[in-house]
């Protein structure tokens, strides 16, 4: 990693350019002003829309209960220059210049916050009726599909697939979700934790087909590998996302195995005066002893404060959060905190067949992660316990009537 130790007196007057106008980019620009940056702050976004929040796209915006989700930020009063509808094409760190469709943009400090982009289903390019759900334009194209109550096939039973299926059922559509793995959320959760969620689909009136691989998509039909033909007035693809970093190829900015920008503990990249934050970047976690790539809203909210502090301050600030996210699906509020692959023990709180339950992951009896379904108090208390590294009493944890904070081993 490059050695960057910006000093307060010089940082204030420098030109800071932020690439990406999603949550991470907007919050970085705002945090810079809040932390005393008096230089120019330029926010560059590829989309023409006023910067907006993404989570409502799969809920309120899609169902038409909200016209949009623009951030409540007065960019003009903060002195943040917006350049929208302007795609970044490359970076030349040696020249301290960002190449864009509108020409080169010089910078003293550059922040990469371009987020992630959805993976496309091979062979569906140009096939009518195939949709992604990542942008405001995507949501606007899908709104009339829901309004006409089409038969919808959702490819992928991950977080986005489940949230879209939920909205489509609320709109009165017939929904079939096809998943190549043996369970929903196969890439995110262990089998025993994801298994109870399978019933949620049927409970909502959606059909879930596991071990179902898509062979091809024809207009109005999804053909599975076993020959099954599913009628589909629309197909929504939710098979994951990858960091939106292809434009950095050849720039000298180090990319990781998943195409993400490799950042250090201070969110600095391998290039001088270049930082990275949000979905496009991974960072080393001392807490978990692993490099984390977190594609969730809270990471895009928290990381910018660290980036701004490191741009403005003389003392480097380390970024090592307890990852957190939530999902609303099939009438349930699902929350997760931590990083469970490091665990050596799993403890259940409550009946997973019921409406509310929690799973706790422990490592050497310390709480490292938890998933809470309809138990927000567990999540709030558990997140603090993870941060504190408290040792837990596994037996006490199994009692769902006992507050998590009262299940520590040192009480």
């Amino acid at each position: 990693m490059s050695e960057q130790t910006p000093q307060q007196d010089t940082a204030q007057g420098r030109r800071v350019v932020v690439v990406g106008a999603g949550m991470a980019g907007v919050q970085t620009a705002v945090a810079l002003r809040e932390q005393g940056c008096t230089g120019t702050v330029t926010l560059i976004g590829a989309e023409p829309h006023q910067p907006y929040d993404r989570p409502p796209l799969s809920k309120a915006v899609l169902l038409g209960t909200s016209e949009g989700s623009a951030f409540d930020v007065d960019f003009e009063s903060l002195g943040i220059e917006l350049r929208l509808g302007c795609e970044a094409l490359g970076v030349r760190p040696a020249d301290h210049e960002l190449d864009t469709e509108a020409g080169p943009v010089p910078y003293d400090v550059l922040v990469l916050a371009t987020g992630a982009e959805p993976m496309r289903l091979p062979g569906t390019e140009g096939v009518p009726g195939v949709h992604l759900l990542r942008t405001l334009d995507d949501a606007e194209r899908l709104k009339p599909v829901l309004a006409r109550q089409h038969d919808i096939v959702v490819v992928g039973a991950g977080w986005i697939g489940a949230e879209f299926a939920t909205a489509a059922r609320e709109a009165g559509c017939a929904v079939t979700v096809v998943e190549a793995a043996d369970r929903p959320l196969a890439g995110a959760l262990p089998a025993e934790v994801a298994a109870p969620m399978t019933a949620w689909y049927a409970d909502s009136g959606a059909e879930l087909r596991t071990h179902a691989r898509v062979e091809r998509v024809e207009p109005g039909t999804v053909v599975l590998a076993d020959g099954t033909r599913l009628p589909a007035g629309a197909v929504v693809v939710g098979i994951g996302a990858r960091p939106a970093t292809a434009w950095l190829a050849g720039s000298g900015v180090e990319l990781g195995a998943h195409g993400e920008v490799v950042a250090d503990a201070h969110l600095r990249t391998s290039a001088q005066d270049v930082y990275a934050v949000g979905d496009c970047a991974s960072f080393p976690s001392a807490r978990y002893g692993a490099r984390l790539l977190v594609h969730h809203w809270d990471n895009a909210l928290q990381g910018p404060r660290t980036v701004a502090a490191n741009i403005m301050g003389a003392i480097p600030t380390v970024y090592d959060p307890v990852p957190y996210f939530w999902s609303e699906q099939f009438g349930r509020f699902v929350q997760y905190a931590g990083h469970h692959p490091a665990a050596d023990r799993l403890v259940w709180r409550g009946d997973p067949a019921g409406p509310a339950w929690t799973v706790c992951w422990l490592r050497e009896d310390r709480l490292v992660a938890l998933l809470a379904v309809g138990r927000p108090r567990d999540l709030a208390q558990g997140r603090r316990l993870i941060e504190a590294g408290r040792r837990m009493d596994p037996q006490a944890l199994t009692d769902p009537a006992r507050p998590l904070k009262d299940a520590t081993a040192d009480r």
Side-chain angles (χ1 to χ4, degrees), residues 299-388:
N299 180 51
L301 176 67
Q302 304 295 338
R305 298 166 188 165
T306 299
V307 167
N310 285 325
I311 291 172
M312 296 301 300
I315 301 175
T317 300
V318 169
Y319 186 61
D320 194 4
V322 173
Y324 166 74
F325 70 87
W326 79 98
S327 176
E328 294 178 85
Q329 50 185 269
F330 308 119
R332 293 165 174 85
F333 186 43
V334 183
Q335 295 173 283
Y336 177 97
H339 181 65
H340 69 267
D344 56 31
R345 184 169 184 175
L346 184 150
V347 178
W348 289 88
R349 285 168 59 79
D351 180 1
W357 46 273
T358 296
V359 173
C360 298
W361 284 273
L362 306 177
R363 183 180 64 211
E364 298 176 352
D365 287 343
R366 299 187 191 278
L367 190 65
V368 294
L370 79 160
L371 177 84
V373 177
R375 292 180 65 95
R377 183 175 297 179
D378 273 5
L379 191 288
Q381 294 181 7
R383 194 175 183 182
R384 290 192 289 269
L385 291 167
I386 295 171
E387 290 171 346

Side-chain angles (χ1 to χ4, degrees), residues 93-287:
D95 299 325
H96 277 62
E97 283 193 333
L98 172 75
D99 291 320
T100 75
E101 288 179 323
V105 179
Y107 65 84
D108 294 313
V109 180
L110 179 67
V111 181
L112 306 176
T114 47
E117 56 193 3
M119 296 170 62
R120 297 181 179 274
L121 189 64
T124 60
E125 196 73 35
V127 178
V130 178
H131 300 263
L132 299 170
L133 180 53
R134 182 71 180 182
T135 69
L136 183 60
D137 289 338
D138 291 337
E140 290 298 329
R141 283 189 286 267
L142 276 165
K143 280 169 66 175
V145 172
L146 297 193
R148 290 194 292 269
Q149 297 186 333
H150 279 297
D151 288 345
I152 295 176
V153 173
V154 180
V155 183
W159 300 112
I160 288 294
E163 290 183 1
F164 178 80
T166 299
R169 287 299 300 139
E170 286 185 32
C173 300
V175 178
T176 302
V177 180
V178 296
E179 169 57 54
D182 62 349
R183 63 188 187 275
L185 295 168
L189 297 173
E192 61 188 305
V193 177
M197 301 176 177
T198 301
W200 298 358
Y201 288 80
D203 290 347
S204 74
E207 180 183 1
L208 173 64
R209 288 175 174 250
T210 56
H211 299 286
R213 191 172 298 277
V214 175
E215 179 71 26
R216 64 185 182 276
V217 178
E218 302 171 352
T221 305
V222 172
V223 183
L224 302 182
D226 66 1
T228 302
R229 301 176 66 87
L230 302 175
V235 179
V236 177
V237 179
I239 56 175
R242 59 168 61 95
T245 57
W247 65 282
L248 291 169
S251 67
V253 174
E254 182 184 355
L255 301 181
H258 302 284
E260 83 281 9
V261 179
V262 176
D264 69 7
H266 310 290
L267 298 181
R268 302 173 300 193
T269 75
S270 61
Q272 184 74 19
D273 297 319
V274 180
Y275 294 78
V277 66
D279 290 6
C280 73
S282 67
F283 57 90
S285 170
R287 185 191 311 277

